[in-house]
Amino acid sequence: MVQKAKILLVDDRPENLLALEAILSALDQTLVRASSGEEALKALLTDDFAVILLDVQMPGMDGFETAAHIKRRERTRDIPIIFLTAINHGPHHTFRGYAAGAVDYISKPFDPWVLRAKVSVFVELYMKNCQLREQAALLRLQLEGSGGKAPADGAKESPGLLAELSARLAAVEEQAEALSKQLDDESADAAAVATAAHLERKLTGLRRALDALEPGTGSGPPSVTSQS
């Protein structure tokens, strides 16, 4: 089951939060309310969010100050922030929003379709990043535990990543083969030839390990480190 992304809605007016929920409900993601900057910062301590919709005009800690705190935290500094404001003070006000770390600055009343489209882009990026992290972690575990063992079924879930790694490895293999031929042609010293041969053996081990992760393989790869 694909986990839903969380979207943080920050506004001190309940009617505005309700309107945002009505607009974004079609995205079928998890919408989290915060009625102040302090409440938003508290929510960000425990949950990961795909994007933050942040009202600028709030009593106490306003949107700019809230964004500054978000960007100072290592855990939250990369979360996209879309500023929402009912007042347009001109270019200087807009520049202050971007300087605070916002990726977009929208004045109310805004077009619901435009807002939903903008948010959906960040949700999709967030989901793709989560998927890539999961695939990378899965592949790392497979490579660490693949010595003499058949790959787990989970490796079948990342064919795109395996194909990309295979293509990159193929490019390195071609370069290594060309280097070996060049060394043979030039009658290079024994140390250089031995180094190139060692590199090719390492690449062969990596290729076998990677091939063993492909769906349908029936046996695990030999240990890469044994081919030194």
Side-chain angles (χ1 to χ4, degrees):
M1 181 179 297
V2 179
Q3 187 174 3
K4 294 183 179 181
K6 292 183 178 180
I7 303 170
L8 184 58
L9 312 177
V10 189
D11 199 304
D12 63 300
R13 300 176 67 89
E15 61 271 24
N16 290 342
L17 291 172
L18 186 62
L20 288 173
E21 289 175 337
I23 293 171
L24 300 176
S25 60
L27 298 179
D28 193 28
Q29 304 300 324
T30 301
L31 306 177
V32 179
R33 284 188 175 199
S35 58
S36 66
E38 293 84 355
E39 190 175 335
L41 294 176
K42 184 177 180 180
L44 288 163
L45 288 174
T46 55
D47 290 326
D48 294 325
F49 291 91
V51 61
I52 303 170
L53 274 65
L54 181 57
D55 184 42
V56 172
Q57 304 293 328
M58 294 188 295
M61 184 184 297
D62 66 11
F64 296 133
E65 188 177 354
T66 302
H69 282 287
I70 293 172
K71 293 302 178 181
R72 279 198 293 265
R73 294 179 178 177
E74 184 176 357
R75 174 187 172 91
T76 59
R77 64 179 55 168
D78 295 326
I79 302 177
I81 298 175
I82 298 178
F83 272 134
L84 305 175
T85 178
I87 304 176
N88 188 356
H89 291 291
H92 176 73
H93 199 254
T94 302
F95 174 78
R96 186 182 176 191
Y98 287 119
V103 297
D104 211 336
Y105 196 101
I106 302 178
S107 298
K108 304 174 185 176
F110 44 76
D111 187 330
W113 293 95
V114 172
L115 180 63
R116 187 160 51 238
K118 289 177 180 290
V119 172
S120 68
V121 170
F122 292 111
V123 168
E124 184 176 357
L125 288 173
Y126 174 82
M127 300 296 283
K128 290 294 185 183
N129 284 332
C130 289
Q131 183 181 10
L132 286 174
R133 284 196 298 268
E134 291 173 359
Q135 290 178 339
L138 173 63
L139 182 58
R140 184 166 58 250
L141 290 174
Q142 292 292 327
L143 290 174
E144 289 174 353
S146 61
K149 297 181 180 180
D153 291 340
K156 299 176 182 179
E157 298 175 2
S158 55
L161 182 59
L162 291 177
E164 181 179 352
L165 289 174
S166 180
R168 293 184 179 182
L169 181 56
V172 177
E173 289 171 334
E174 290 181 3
Q175 294 175 2
E177 183 179 359
L179 176 61
S180 296
K181 290 181 179 179
Q182 182 179 1
L183 289 174
D184 290 339
D185 293 340
E186 295 178 356
S187 301
D189 60 69
V193 173
T195 300
H198 178 73
L199 174 60
E200 285 194 329
R201 289 197 299 271
K202 285 291 187 181
L203 290 173
T204 299
L206 287 173
R207 170 59 66 186
R208 289 176 179 173
L210 190 59
D211 287 346
L213 295 178
E214 292 288 347
T217 55
S219 61
S223 174
V224 174
T225 56
S226 65
Q227 303 190 35
S228 56

